[in-house]
Amino acid sequence: MHLRFVPGFAALVFGLTSAAQADVLLPRIFGDHMVLQADQPIPVWGQADPGEAVQVQFAGVVVNSKANKQGRWRVNLPALAASFKPQTLTVKGRNEVAFSAVLVGEVWLASGQSNMEWSLAKADGGTESVAQASDQSLRLFQVLHGSRLPENTTDVDAAWAVASPQSSANFSAIGFWFGQRLRQSLQRPVAIIDSSWGGTPVEAWTSRQGLASVAEGRHLLAQNKVRGPRTHEQKAAELQAYQGAHDAWQKANRQVDAGNAGEAQGFARPGLAETGWQKMNMPSHWEDEGLDGDGAVWFRKDLPIPKAWVGQDLELHLGALNDCDTIYVNGTKVAESCWDTPQTHAKPRMVRVPGTLVKPGRLLVAVRIFDERGNGGFSSSAESVFVRAVAGGETMSLAGRWNVRPEKLLPTLNVRWDLEPKPPRGHPHPNGVHALWDAMVAPMVPFGIKGVLWYQGEANASRAVQYRALFAGMITDWRRQWGQNPLPFYFVQLAGFRAPGHPAEWPELREAQTMALRLPQTGMAVAIDIGNPKDIHPTNKFDVAQRLSRWALARTYGQQMVASGPLYKRMQVQGNRVRLWFDHADGLRVADGASALGAFEVAGRDRNFVAAVAEIDGDTVVVRAPEVTSPAAVRYGWQGVPPCNLQNAEGLPASPFRTDKWLEITRGRR
């Protein structure tokens, strides 16, 4: 590519122009190795001098345009058939810009919060997929966090990449596996744009206009409205005060590491008598293994060394370690990581062990982890922890029993996240209204896409009723912004998780998500059966991606397959029983390994729900409870982690639901 992006690109492209002649420029969504959406007009746009003639050439097509008074120009290339042939897109003004190795195929935007952001390397089975990720016809575009979120952001920080072990490891696991499934099924080039940010609410991903279109959004805009003009000095003082308060809050809500006392006691030394050490299964959080508290904990595992490894450099893979770690091999410190590493609690550790430490006999791996708050320990899947020779050959798993000893346990720190200081109104923040739309989505509009994948809702769980309107409003907003109505929009319903102290919030949020299915060209991947009661980030992302891909292949591409598990349709009281009908109900069955249906509850008019006996009868389910002689309502999966096991013949799970409207939620509406 012949274009060099210059500092201040945002000001040049859609903002200020200067008296000097400016080169033709395009936003970063255009680049070498990109994929252009097939079978629909292809928008190409950018900046030049006002009045400058601009010519775009691609696939034998030439389209001419002229920059307007603001220096903006745009053309639409005609719809093109999918093609594996690498081609060059050329833009000519006074200068020439050329993008090489461009394909035509299917482009999908994957967005949301941390479960969409969750990397391939950290997911179950991800290690193998990373190693086998090379595919010249699968392209990835990962938008980096707009951490500063300038008020006039006009471009994203990203670059196109061909799928490879290097480009895929930290890419969205769901996005990667979804793209891989489409590549295999459609036999077309596929591109996935990953623009996601953990812990962010839906209103951050919606434009100001989109929020203003619904009452709930207007309320949020009013809450964040800045009243009255402020000088630069006032803004600077507000921001300084916020940063000081935020730093103080962070300090007060983190445990302090008193120092590595275990090393002096020989906890990393080979041959240590491990008297008093516990045995725990790793990878896991130590809370899940019965050890409560924050603080410093040591882990030791030794294993026999193959003769071929002696003197060879090794790769030690430990997955993500939560939070700060010191890693030793045969008594020698080989790595150390803490908050100087961005997202240290979530970033997989790979340490290169020099061959000088690899002696005949056994290899001792010792890890000291200091947990500042929340869960502590190993946060990745069993497939993510292993050791292998750099030169290749045998791989040895590190999953299983480790010897464990606390160095110093501290009382569990219960963090009140709702009390975390918020930035002053008018200052950018990733959770602010329309902030992420402005910084991480809007600069890519109207780049041609086929549809959207969405996994978000955890950050809005305490405002479920409000989410009903905000989520539907966001979908409608994105469709309007792209000028594609209806733009296919497939989303993930929240997985099973035991939300601490708020058992009702997640069922209510799932219900709000289900309501979005009223919009055309939407689909919901149910994940209630593959969650983790103790972790908001379940590591089974492969099945999530497969369920999303079913919606796309069936509804968008017209393939003959079942897209969804059973979705509640209607009920009928029959004496002391209730009969339930569902959509997508062919071959109703109990999930493998279960003897009877679970998670069903029934209530009479007293609204007292009790566990029910549920039986499959053809394409319906009949529910009853001996103590409820006149049933009035049924609920299924109305818990944080319910024992849901109703499926259809495809093995796709039924969505949680309730037939009543007794508890229309009032909290969280405003």
Side-chain angles (χ1 to χ4, degrees):
M1 187 181 75
H2 310 300
L3 173 63
R4 178 175 64 87
F5 288 104
V6 296
F9 173 80
L12 285 170
V13 176
F14 296 114
L16 303 175
T17 57
S18 65
Q21 290 185 351
D23 287 345
V24 169
L25 295 172
L26 289 86
R28 290 183 179 90
I29 189 64
F30 295 96
D32 297 339
H33 308 294
M34 66 180 163
V35 175
L36 300 176
Q37 178 57 49
D39 305 321
Q40 65 187 44
I42 301 169
V44 182
W45 73 95
Q47 186 83 9
D49 277 338
E52 183 175 353
V54 178
Q55 185 180 84
V56 179
Q57 301 178 14
F58 184 71
V61 176
V62 178
V63 182
N64 294 296
S65 182
K66 183 180 289 187
N68 66 14
K69 292 180 180 180
Q70 289 75 41
R72 301 173 184 173
W73 59 267
R74 172 179 166 176
V75 302
N76 281 337
L77 295 171
L80 299 171
S83 172
F84 289 100
K85 179 183 177 182
Q87 301 182 75
T88 298
L89 186 148
T90 303
V91 182
K92 295 180 180 179
R94 293 190 180 95
N95 63 309
E96 179 177 307
V97 179
F99 303 105
S100 62
V102 178
L103 306 181
V104 182
E106 304 303 311
V107 184
W108 286 78
L109 170 59
S111 188
Q113 57 182 112
S114 54
N115 276 304
M116 180 61 81
E117 190 177 21
W118 196 259
S119 70
L120 183 62
K122 293 194 299 176
D124 293 346
T127 300
E128 293 81 0
S129 288
V130 168
Q132 302 167 13
S134 298
D135 185 345
Q136 288 292 319
S137 299
L138 178 59
R139 307 291 175 84
L140 310 175
F141 188 80
Q142 187 169 19
V143 178
L144 301 182
H145 288 177
S147 56
R148 293 190 179 274
L149 297 177
E151 294 180 10
N152 296 312
T153 300
T154 53
D155 203 7
V156 295
D157 187 0
W160 285 96
V162 175
S164 68
Q166 293 73 33
S167 64
S168 67
N170 290 317
F171 196 80
S172 163
I174 292 173
F176 178 87
W177 275 319
F178 176 91
Q180 192 177 65
R181 174 78 180 273
L182 262 58
R183 274 277 300 113
Q184 296 166 352
S185 298
L186 300 176
Q187 291 298 299
R188 288 183 166 203
V190 173
I192 305 296
I193 300 168
D194 172 17
S195 184
S196 51
W197 192 329
T200 54
V202 69
E203 60 266 25
W205 295 98
T206 310
S207 75
R208 175 178 288 276
Q209 296 91 334
L211 290 169
S213 68
V214 296
E216 289 79 355
R218 290 192 293 273
H219 173 74
L220 292 174
L221 288 171
Q223 282 186 322
N224 288 272
K225 184 178 181 180
V226 178
R227 294 175 172 84
R230 292 168 300 158
T231 66
H232 177 76
E233 291 75 14
Q234 287 173 323
K235 290 183 178 181
E238 289 174 354
L239 192 58
Q240 184 177 12
Y242 157 70
Q243 289 172 337
H246 189 266
D247 290 347
W249 184 89
Q250 287 283 353
K251 184 177 181 180
N253 287 277
R254 279 182 173 165
Q255 304 280 19
V256 177
D257 190 350
N260 188 342
E263 181 176 334
Q265 298 177 55
F267 289 178
R269 189 180 66 240
L272 176 73
E274 296 173 339
T275 306
W277 289 61
Q278 303 171 248
K279 291 189 180 297
M280 293 184 183
N281 287 315
M282 292 292 139
S284 181
H285 292 132
W286 64 63
E287 291 87 351
D288 297 339
E289 297 294 317
L291 186 62
D292 293 326
D294 301 322
V297 178
W298 282 77
F299 301 82
R300 287 169 57 100
K301 188 176 184 70
D302 69 347
L303 57 158
I305 289 290
K307 290 182 180 179
W309 283 15
V310 175
Q312 299 294 314
D313 287 0
L314 304 180
E315 281 185 2
L316 179 63
H317 293 256
L318 295 173
L321 301 174
N322 200 349
D323 292 307
C324 303
D325 59 86
T326 310
I327 302 169
Y328 304 81
V329 173
N330 285 342
T332 299
K333 183 192 298 185
V334 294
E336 195 166 25
S337 179
C338 198
W339 291 104
D340 52 338
T341 301
Q343 295 290 303
T344 185
H345 64 291
K347 187 173 183 179
R349 308 293 197 273
M350 194 285 283
V351 179
R352 185 152 180 154
V353 180
T356 54
L357 296 179
V358 186
K359 308 293 186 182
R362 304 186 72 83
L363 187 80
L364 172 72
V365 178
V367 182
R368 179 189 189 265
I369 297 178
F370 182 81
D371 177 42
E372 295 186 342
R373 60 194 180 198
N375 290 326
F378 292 66
S379 299
S380 296
S381 62
E383 294 88 348
S384 301
V385 291
F386 60 91
V387 61
R388 66 184 174 197
V390 172
E394 184 179 2
T395 294
M396 299 184 67
S397 173
L398 294 174
R401 305 293 273 177
W402 286 61
N403 289 323
V404 180
R405 177 171 173 174
E407 176 188 301
K408 184 175 183 179
L409 279 182
L410 303 171
T412 300
L413 190 64
N414 294 314
V415 178
R416 285 285 306 275
W417 290 99
D418 56 321
L419 298 180
E420 182 180 11
K422 304 297 189 295
R425 292 178 180 178
H427 288 278
H429 186 275
N431 287 2
V433 289
H434 61 80
L436 297 181
W437 166 265
D438 293 343
M440 295 178 64
V441 183
M444 300 185 290
V445 178
F447 191 81
I449 62 174
K450 190 69 171 183
V452 175
L453 310 176
W454 180 258
Y455 195 158
Q456 187 276 338
E458 299 91 338
N460 289 90
S462 64
R463 298 180 279 135
V465 164
Q466 188 186 66
Y467 194 82
R468 298 176 185 178
L470 292 178
F471 185 37
M474 191 208 79
I475 296 172
T476 302
D477 178 44
W478 283 31
R479 289 172 168 177
R480 181 173 56 248
Q481 298 282 352
W482 255 279
Q484 293 177 238
N485 194 7
L487 178 70
F489 198 104
Y490 303 131
F491 56 92
V492 184
Q493 188 186 61
L494 292 189
F497 175 63
R498 187 166 288 113
H502 301 285
E505 290 181 352
W506 282 49
E508 293 164 358
L509 198 286
R510 294 186 192 113
E511 180 181 58
Q513 292 175 310
T514 305
M515 290 177 175
L517 293 174
R518 299 168 182 171
L519 296 174
Q521 284 297 306
T522 55
M524 182 175 71
V526 176
I528 193 67
D529 59 325
I530 50 177
N532 185 334
K534 298 181 180 180
D535 196 337
I536 201 170
H537 302 120
T539 51
N540 181 353
K541 300 296 191 240
F542 181 81
D543 284 335
V544 174
Q546 299 308 298
R547 292 171 187 181
L548 285 170
S549 68
R550 280 178 169 269
W551 280 103
L553 292 171
R555 293 295 178 86
T556 303
Y557 298 106
Q559 294 191 4
Q560 295 299 311
M561 68 173 61
V562 176
S564 174
L567 296 173
Y568 168 72
K569 183 166 58 176
R570 65 185 179 92
M571 64 168 276
Q572 183 182 78
V573 177
Q574 299 175 343
N576 64 348
R577 307 184 305 169
V578 178
R579 187 175 297 273
L580 305 166
W581 282 264
F582 302 85
D583 292 321
H584 312 289
D586 289 345
L588 290 182
R589 69 184 193 185
V590 181
D592 294 341
S595 59
L597 289 176
F600 280 94
E601 299 172 292
V602 65
R605 296 192 181 278
D606 61 359
R607 305 186 180 187
N608 180 33
F609 281 89
V610 298
V613 175
E615 297 174 331
I616 296 170
D617 184 10
D619 59 356
T620 67
V621 172
V622 178
V623 180
R624 59 183 172 81
E627 57 266 61
V628 182
T629 56
S630 298
V634 174
R635 292 180 178 179
Y636 174 70
W638 205 257
Q639 303 164 30
V641 192
C644 294
N645 56 12
L646 176 62
Q647 299 178 341
N648 59 18
E650 295 293 318
L652 298 173
S655 170
F657 66 90
R658 59 173 175 153
T659 67
D660 65 280
K661 299 300 178 185
W662 292 336
L663 297 180
E664 284 292 352
I665 314 131
T666 56
R667 72 175 184 278
R669 188 177 294 275
R670 290 287 184 262

